[in-house]
Amino acid sequence: MSGFVCPHCKECTNVFSTGGGEGLAKHYEVPFLGRAPIDPNLVMLLEQEDKTEVPNVNDPSAEKQHTTSIVDTYQRCELSKVFASIATYLDKYLTEK
């Protein structure tokens, strides 16, 4: 985890020290995959009971949005971009091996 993403202003605050993962990856000579912040929007999406009526991750106070897939909603969450980048890197890295 690299920090905490404020659900209101989207600013990421480092609540832990930074650079530990990168240092560990360098020490063991493995690729550093990235920083994944704690994102309360992701928790909000995963913990609700009705997965078809989901909060607007960009404005939690807004009216809920209808969806047929939690994956569709998750893709609008900022954290999905971090994991997509990691998955793309791993796909390329493993394809080249």
Side-chain angles (χ1 to χ4, degrees), residues 17-33:
S17 61
T18 58
E22 288 175 280
L24 197 59
K26 185 175 182 177
H27 176 77
Y28 285 103
E29 299 178 352
V30 296
F32 175 69
L33 299 179

Side-chain angles (χ1 to χ4, degrees), residues 55-71:
N56 180 332
V57 296
N58 297 315
D59 183 3
S61 64
E63 186 175 322
K64 290 187 175 186
Q65 302 168 330
H66 182 75
T67 183
T68 56
S69 169
I70 193 69
V71 174

Side-chain angles (χ1 to χ4, degrees), residues 13-96:
T13 302
N14 291 318
V15 292
F16 307 109
S17 61
T18 58
E22 288 175 280
L24 197 59
K26 185 175 182 177
H27 176 77
Y28 285 103
E29 299 178 352
V30 296
F32 175 69
L33 299 179
R35 293 174 184 82
I38 299 168
D39 188 346
N41 285 323
L42 176 61
V43 175
M44 186 170 44
L45 291 173
L46 298 176
E47 287 185 344
Q48 66 183 20
E49 293 179 30
D50 182 358
K51 302 295 188 206
T52 62
E53 292 291 326
V54 296
N56 180 332
V57 296
N58 297 315
D59 183 3
S61 64
E63 186 175 322
K64 290 187 175 186
Q65 302 168 330
H66 182 75
T67 183
T68 56
S69 169
I70 193 69
V71 174
D72 292 337
T73 303
Y74 169 70
Q75 289 175 342
R76 288 182 246 141
C77 186
E78 288 298 314
L79 194 54
S80 71
K81 297 172 188 169
V82 173
F83 289 129
S85 174
I86 291 170
T88 299
Y89 173 83
L90 286 173
D91 181 51
K92 182 179 177 185
Y93 179 80
L94 294 173
T95 301
E96 292 174 355

